[in-house]
Amino acid sequence: MKTLIAGNWKMHGQQAWTVKAAGFDRLLEATDREHIEVLICPPYPFIREMFVASAARHIKIGAQNCHAIEKGAHTGEVSAEMLADCGAEYVIVGHSERRAAGERDSDVSAKASAAFRAGLTPIICVGETLEQREAGNANNVVEAQIIGSVPDSAENFVVAYEPVWAIGTGKVAEISDIKSMHAHIRGLVGDNVRILYGGSVKPGNAAAILGTENVNGALIGGASLNMADLSAIARSAPKN
Ligand code: PGA
């Protein structure tokens, strides 16, 4: 199982950044790459060009969201089929920033099903708020999100555990908390699903996080905007 180093650019970037991302390849030696898979999820308008620009294919391209159905009168929406047609291989679904805007587990599950239909791999995001953690409910909250957001009989998917309070705040969960939550998620999704950690992953903390049992990669927001930081995180992945 290769470690997945996934960058989520959120609503950042411009057309010129596609070149910068293509240059990412040169920052990693071949030996740094063998055991990892690198993914960048830019805003929709840059997906096609980034796919073309990373033609050597050491970087995969993904999206940050999709609509649940294939086509129709849904102004402003983008289907999973359209993303696949533009070269995307992954799609993030149920990011906490989207859940905060009203997305429910059932919406996330429908989007993950759309990803399967289009041949994309969904990265299904889960994570508790600080209030839920302090009330001792983190495990139950995440378990309910997984049960509600992972479609029945889903096989080829990725889970990203992102404690909401750690996203974009510089606060990282304790390694012991990451280890125990990832073990809990492992028990729910089985051995073949990669479980990513996300929330303020940076070059300085990546080795400890990526070296934690049942952590199979990272979902990286802020630090993925800087190719030197993203490649440093990629180099921190354990080599076994
Ligand atoms: P961050 O974002 O790395 O900036 O905390 C992570 C995410 O939202 O996926």
Side-chain angles (χ1 to χ4, degrees):
M1 183 184 279
K2 287 190 174 186
T3 299
L4 180 59
I5 303 295
N8 171 13
W9 279 8
K10 308 193 180 184
M11 200 172 70
H12 295 287
Q14 51 193 356
Q15 193 62 20
W17 286 25
T18 55
V19 178
K20 167 168 125 165
F24 174 85
D25 267 9
R26 292 189 289 276
L27 296 171
L28 282 186
E29 302 290 336
T31 50
D32 290 329
R33 266 195 233 116
E34 281 161 2
H35 55 293
I36 60 169
E37 199 179 339
V38 180
L39 169 72
I40 295 182
C41 300
Y44 291 141
F46 310 136
I47 287 175
R48 178 70 194 164
E49 182 138 345
M50 283 190 58
F51 170 72
V52 173
S54 55
R57 308 306 311 281
H58 294 132
I59 300 181
K60 294 183 173 171
I61 305 301
Q64 301 169 19
N65 182 36
C66 67
H67 195 269
I69 65 172
E70 187 181 345
K71 61 182 176 211
H74 298 283
T75 303
E77 298 289 352
V78 174
S79 72
E81 281 76 4
M82 293 168 184
L83 298 171
D85 191 34
C86 289
E89 290 181 57
Y90 286 84
V91 59
I92 298 169
V93 293
H95 190 280
S96 66
E97 287 154 14
R98 301 202 59 84
R99 289 180 184 266
E103 220 165 81
R104 296 157 301 171
D105 288 338
S106 54
D107 301 315
V108 179
S109 175
K111 290 178 181 203
S113 294
F116 294 136
R117 191 186 62 220
L120 301 176
T121 302
I123 299 175
I124 301 171
C125 299
V126 295
E128 81 286 356
T129 62
L130 189 56
E131 210 180 11
Q132 290 164 333
R133 173 158 287 272
E134 284 175 349
N137 289 333
N139 277 12
N140 291 343
V141 166
V142 167
E143 182 166 339
Q145 286 175 331
I146 288 186
I147 291 168
S149 307
V150 176
D152 293 344
S153 74
E155 276 178 21
N156 185 25
F157 63 99
V158 176
V159 170
Y161 167 57
E162 300 201 296
V164 176
W165 48 272
I167 295 177
T169 57
K171 292 184 193 142
V172 188
E174 298 290 337
I175 295 293
S176 56
D177 290 335
I178 297 175
K179 190 171 168 186
S180 104
M181 182 61 85
H182 279 239
H184 184 57
I185 296 172
R186 177 68 68 217
L188 298 168
V189 300
D191 288 341
N192 297 328
V193 171
R194 282 183 289 186
I195 307 170
L196 314 184
Y197 173 80
S200 298
V201 177
K202 309 278 180 227
N205 59 26
I209 293 170
L210 292 171
T212 302
E213 204 179 339
N214 288 314
V215 174
N216 311 115
L219 183 55
I220 306 141
S224 74
L225 301 175
N226 179 311
M227 294 300 115
D229 284 353
L230 188 62
S231 58
I233 293 169
R235 274 193 291 275
S236 309
K239 287 214 162 64
N240 49 31

